[in-house]
Amino acid sequence: QLSLTIPAKTLDGIDTFRKSVVDSLSDQVVSMIIQGGVTRDEYYPGELDVNMLVVLKDVGVDILDKLVRPYQKGFKDIILDVIVRTEEQLRSLMDIFPARFKEMQQSHLLIWGQDVLAGLEISDHYSKLRAVQEIKNLQLRLHMSYVYI
């Protein structure tokens, strides 16, 4: 359970965006989740974005067109950074961004629908591969720097 201090103006902006999306796309909305700095008490109004994940049943152009107005309306109140995906698209990104998804799982706030992050199983395999890649990259740089000294 998160214990957050979110400014009233930010909460109002989030709620305005949520209502507007649900009114425009109610039959398509699977989930709306706030994640990022707001959920870690690292949010500074006017300086940082409110990161939001909107999961829809479909993300065709006709559906995305219906998101334009809610986004513009919400952006007047707060700075929004919205990721729009289907559940399937979300699952396909887990292997590419495992650390990001683990962070999102650990610190998020459901504001509408199903908690699609709670049920995700993120493999450590890709995190380990990424760590090895970073170490190998640092080794290469170190060797190159040594040669050029």
Side-chain angles (χ1 to χ4, degrees), residues 2-6 34-44 48 51 100 103-104 106-108:
L2 296 172
S3 174
L4 304 172
T5 307
I6 302 173
I34 298 170
Q35 41 91 21
V38 172
T39 61
R40 295 187 306 269
D41 277 338
E42 298 170 0
Y43 173 70
Y44 305 99
L48 298 175
N51 299 317
R100 180 77 175 110
E103 180 184 303
M104 287 168 58
Q106 293 168 356
S107 182
H108 67 278

Side-chain angles (χ1 to χ4, degrees), residues 5-80:
T5 307
I6 302 173
K9 182 179 178 187
T10 302
L11 285 173
D12 289 345
I14 290 168
D15 196 48
T16 297
F17 180 72
R18 180 192 59 78
K19 287 177 182 174
S20 190
V21 169
V22 171
D23 287 348
S24 299
L25 295 166
S26 62
D27 60 330
Q28 288 292 320
V29 182
V30 175
S31 180
M32 294 181 73
I33 294 173
I34 298 170
Q35 41 91 21
V38 172
T39 61
R40 295 187 306 269
D41 277 338
E42 298 170 0
Y43 173 70
Y44 305 99
E47 295 179 32
L48 298 175
D49 301 345
V50 172
N51 299 317
M52 189 171 302
L53 173 64
V54 177
V55 180
L56 302 174
K57 293 177 184 175
D58 180 39
V59 290
V61 175
D62 56 326
I63 301 296
L64 294 176
D65 282 345
K66 293 179 182 178
L67 272 180
V68 172
R69 191 162 176 83
Y71 183 76
Q72 290 172 339
K73 195 176 191 181
F75 201 84
K76 288 179 185 174
D77 299 323
I78 54 177
I79 303 170
L80 284 171

Side-chain angles (χ1 to χ4, degrees), residues 77-94:
D77 299 323
I78 54 177
I79 303 170
L80 284 171
D81 185 9
V82 181
I83 298 171
V84 179
R85 295 288 183 261
T86 64
E87 283 186 84
E88 184 179 328
Q89 290 171 331
L90 206 58
R91 282 190 293 278
S92 73
L93 293 173
M94 289 185 329

